[in-house]
Amino acid sequence: MRLLEHEAKQIIKKCGIPVPRGEVVKTVDEITFPPPAMLKTQVPVGGRGIVGGILAAATQQEIRHHFERLLATPVRDYLPTSILVEEMVELEREFFLAITHDTVTKMPVAVFSSQGGVDIEALAREKPEKVVSMHLSPLRRFPSFQARELVARAGVSGRLLIQLGAVFARLADVFFEYDATLAEINPLGLSKDGHLLALDCHLEVDDDAQPRQPEIAAIEKQEARFAGGRETSEFERRAQEIDSMDHRGVAGRVIEFPGSLGLIIGGGGASLTAFDAVRQHGGEPANYCEIGGNPSVFKVTELTKHILSKPGVSKIAVIMNVVSNTRVDLVARGVIKGILEKGQDPSQIVAVFRVPGAWEAEGFKLLDKYGVPYCDRTVSIDEAARRAVVSTMP
Amino acid sequence: MAILADEQTKVLVQGITGREAASFTKDMMEYGTQVVAGVTPGKKGQSVYGVPVFDTVAQAMAYQPADAAIISVPPLMVKEAALESLLNGIKLLVIVTERVPRKDTVELLELARQTGATVIGPNTLGLISPGVVKLGMAGGPVADVKKAYMPGKVGIASRSGGMTTEIANLLTTNGIGQSTCISVGGDPVVGSNFLDLVERFYKDPDTEAVVLFSEPGGVIEEKLAEWVQAEQVSMPIVTFIAGRFVDEMPGMRFGHAATIVEGEKGSTKSKIKVLERAGVKVAHAFSDIVTILRREYEV
């Protein structure tokens, strides 16, 4: 989960990292902060500055004007419901600090650049010597002396080195205490009067750790923190409902596509494989869908009916990997039942049924009874996809 | 034959009284795996399919020393369970539990490095060396395992649990046997990734080729390509990368720092490019895995 800037700043401030003075407001009348001020849109995406999500105001009138404008301006499909109004800080220098997990070495890693406030990815590409990093022990964390070692490698010394080391160590504490997967300050500014201030902060918290992070869980539960993101379609929402109607198995993590071939595929890697294969053979999927974990007949029935209810869907392909946990016969029963309840003929609607594995003999018997075309484990996932696509061609 | 474990490996199951753990314990034993003890705090004296249950790993080790521990406990208890086995001298952990917090994973992996232990998972279905041993849930009940897997000389490592069996099945139905098949685990940070496992397969005299199942995200395939080039690896490696359509979908983004560490990599397109440049064979359709294996390696 990505925190909004003001939420992240609240946390690092509590942990001893200075941030600019400011306030978060939802309506223009709440604004008490005097000009000159910076106004920053609160949406959970980066690169706000480039798209006009951060504006400077010199007068009271400008503050009000910018506020209204930011509130009405979507940033990559997100709309803010609050704006951060902050003091304007005159900066001497800017730095970049971040801590994340390196998936290759399987260790936390600290990244520093003495050129902050820039597109750090571009900098790392063009001037890799400007970006230094160091792996950390999750048990020792990142003591100030170690942070100073890293910062010194970037050529910083003197009083600034000591200041930066202290801020970095605190950022590491935030990273570990809050189960973050990313803690980043960019830029960390050095003000004209010699103080370090986190001008922007990006915290991503591990969803899997939420049970032990009550403070973060509470933030996530707050309603209307922002609006938008990728819109879930009515079709997708209905699929989620079906999934939540029964705790057994997964059937209904669905994404809608414009094609005509309904897909019941699963799970995880197999659905990716099957979806790619359908497209490679020229098929046009109507949806992406994961099923697995031994869903109940009821769930598969409802899902089948749902996919068939989408306008333009004339056939369904059911393709899964060799299953050992999910039962083939239950999937077959659910698919057939769903089609019958729609008043249609399973032998005409199923383009291909390829679910080999546990209880397959019982499943195949059922499919035979209704004349549904199926294949066993000797037919690969991509061959099954090809057959499905061919059967939908005129 | 096998990497990581063999018929001599003595196995302990942490969380053995759980429904899922009890079920895979039975499957493992029926496949011939030596499950010597189980641990569930507070349940000493019970037994699960004849396997005695102890309160602590120390008690279990005093009763019968084990070489490997399968961990199937609630997510927030995984770190402690791993620590308990590591400090009792166990050298191979298979962590079945999913949704383990990332911080706990990196901490337990640091401890494993200190004790010289190997970790598979978290979020793994386990591993199988066909005809030899099975650790965890991989392949399900014995009857199913026997249909999908057969002994041979091709190693499999897969980022998708279900596809481990699917690839083995593809090879088996085409008469190609497997040495060891490993479900790497679905998490971004896992104890043994492709880089670690391919190196082990490369050193294993009984493995002559390797098949990898990959997904979008992460940079391990890129690192593998670097390693293959640097070491001039001669063993045939065939990869299949699922989820090409994800490249075209919005919303897949890494954090800033992650993209610095990982560069602008992680897309399937980028993975395919660097792997092919390094001489790793990429199957563009799933069944091409077999075609390529037959071409690259006499099977």
Side-chain angles (χ1 to χ4, degrees), chain B residues 85-245:
Chain B
S85 272
L86 291 170
L87 294 183
N88 277 285
I90 289 180
K91 296 293 181 210
L92 174 64
L93 302 185
V94 176
I95 304 174
V96 171
T97 309
E98 51 182 309
R99 309 219 63 176
V100 178
R102 199 101 31 107
K103 183 173 80 169
D104 293 5
T105 303
V106 296
E107 265 189 41
L108 76 86
L109 290 177
E110 169 130 332
L111 292 163
R113 259 192 299 274
Q114 286 171 10
T115 65
T118 299
V119 177
I120 304 293
N123 193 4
T124 174
L125 287 186
L127 61 101
I128 291 185
S129 296
V132 181
V133 71
K134 158 177 145 83
L135 302 186
M137 294 188 277
V142 175
D144 293 328
V145 174
K146 285 188 172 156
K147 277 191 210 163
Y149 292 85
M150 79 180 210
K153 302 208 160 195
V154 177
I156 297 174
S158 168
R159 280 176 52 184
S160 156
M163 292 304 282
T164 315
T165 301
E166 183 64 32
I167 293 172
N169 179 75
L170 177 73
L171 301 190
T172 297
T173 52
N174 282 282
I176 304 170
Q178 309 95 44
S179 57
T180 300
C181 311
I182 304 154
S183 151
V184 170
D187 288 4
V189 180
V190 289
S192 302
N193 54 39
F194 283 165
L195 204 54
D196 306 309
L197 293 171
V198 172
E199 252 190 281
R200 279 183 188 261
F201 278 128
Y202 194 40
K203 287 183 194 145
D204 174 33
D206 296 314
T207 299
E208 294 177 355
V210 168
V211 177
L212 304 176
F213 180 89
S214 215
E215 292 177 352
V219 291
I220 202 66
E221 292 80 5
E222 281 83 349
K223 295 288 168 192
L224 177 70
E226 283 171 22
W227 177 78
V228 165
Q229 250 167 344
E231 298 290 314
Q232 297 183 312
V233 173
S234 52
M235 172 181 70
I237 303 172
V238 185
T239 60
F240 177 78
I241 304 175
R244 292 170 186 232
F245 74 94

Side-chain angles (χ1 to χ4, degrees), chain A residues 315-318 335 339 345-353 372-373 391:
Chain A
K315 290 220 171 202
I316 285 183
V318 187
V335 169
I339 297 169
D345 178 357
S347 69
Q348 297 304 309
I349 296 295
V350 179
V352 73
F353 185 100
V372 173
S391 86

Side-chain angles (χ1 to χ4, degrees), chain A residues 137 184 206 208 322 354 382, chain B residues 99 102 110 166 256 287:
Chain A
S137 155
E184 173 183 308
D206 189 349
D208 293 340
V322 177
R354 193 271 187 195
D382 57 326
Chain B
R99 309 219 63 176
R102 199 101 31 107
E110 169 130 332
E166 183 64 32
H256 266 47
S287 2

